[in-house]
Amino acid sequence: MKLEVRGVEEGKPVPEKFAFGVYSEEDHMSFGPNRNPEMVWEGAPEGTKSFVVMMFDPDVPSKADDVNQEGKTVPADLPRVDFFHWLLVDVPADVSRIPEGEDSDGVIPKGKDPGPGPIGIRGVNNYTQFLAGNPDMEGTYGGYDGPCPPWNDEIIHHYHYEVHALDVESLGLDGEFDGAAVREAMAGHVLASARVTGTYTLNPDLR
């Protein structure tokens, strides 16, 4: 399979129009356009019955104590975990393109609904956990919400955009399912996969 994420070049920075947060000299971060990029894929193998689309960041701090704290940094050697930014399952087998802005166009405080969306079924991304406790923002974040790494992180973050061809029409997931649930449900059903990786940082020393 081959995947093209239009506007995102392999190994190059993700454009700000796809980001949840953009660099701000005054406040470190301000909200970005938060549009999902256009995804186009081809070469799915015979027997493909549905697709899963996901985007995740494997470089997220495992402890958030120093995240976005004045006078502190998130050290490069801190263990990192996956943070899911986009989960779409049960994308029909005859779909090979998701238009830019189709699943997200702007930051929506308190999130977008999971469940059936414009294309496929939306899972819950990890902004749901990250923004819990923020009275202006907490909620359930379904569908796409783009990069917004800590502005005081010592490392540049990587963003893996992936499409997976499956041998089942449905993963049988509903409700507020997360990335771990998608990976578990996919196991043993993946016929082929493709990935494009971009980078992003809000740390002015790394830009």
Side-chain angles (χ1 to χ4, degrees):
M1 279 182 74
K2 182 181 178 184
L3 170 64
E4 181 184 1
V5 183
R6 294 194 171 152
V8 178
E9 292 185 57
E10 181 68 33
K12 300 290 183 63
V14 173
E16 288 189 343
K17 69 175 175 176
F18 303 139
F20 187 95
V22 297
Y23 175 69
S24 164
E25 194 169 329
E26 299 79 29
D27 304 316
H28 300 292
M29 187 278 289
S30 58
F31 289 138
N34 200 40
R35 292 172 64 83
N36 71 272
E38 181 177 2
M39 305 264 287
V40 182
W41 58 91
E42 61 184 15
E46 191 174 341
T48 297
K49 294 182 178 177
S50 71
F51 297 101
V52 165
V53 170
M54 66 170 61
M55 189 265 262
F56 68 96
D57 171 5
D59 298 318
V60 169
S62 55
K63 289 174 59 180
D65 302 8
D66 296 331
V67 165
N68 298 338
Q69 298 296 311
E70 294 284 357
K72 297 183 178 180
T73 60
V74 177
D77 61 357
L78 184 71
R80 305 291 167 146
V81 297
D82 289 347
F83 184 111
F84 289 93
H85 286 262
W86 198 11
L87 297 164
L88 289 178
V89 305
D90 299 1
V91 176
D94 61 354
V95 172
S96 59
R97 173 179 173 266
I98 298 174
E100 180 181 319
E102 181 80 4
D103 198 58
S104 179
D105 187 10
V107 172
I108 299 179
K110 303 185 183 297
K112 300 182 289 294
D113 290 335
I119 297 174
I121 296 176
R122 291 168 165 164
V124 173
N125 69 54
N126 285 122
Y127 281 106
T128 303
Q129 290 77 29
F130 182 70
L131 295 171
N134 180 327
D136 296 323
M137 297 295 292
E138 67 180 352
T140 301
Y141 284 75
Y144 178 91
D145 285 296
C148 188
W151 49 257
N152 62 342
D153 204 334
E154 291 183 348
I155 69 169
I156 292 175
H157 286 224
H158 296 79
Y159 295 85
H160 299 315
Y161 296 84
E162 296 182 343
V163 60
H164 305 276
L166 307 185
D167 64 2
V168 290
E169 289 185 10
S170 174
L171 289 179
L173 297 171
D174 56 18
E176 296 183 7
F177 61 88
D178 61 8
V182 174
R183 284 180 170 168
E184 183 179 355
M186 280 170 48
H189 294 291
V190 179
L191 298 174
S193 300
R195 170 191 280 186
V196 173
T197 300
T199 64
Y200 199 75
T201 181
L202 293 174
N203 185 335
D205 296 333
L206 300 177
R207 290 168 62 84

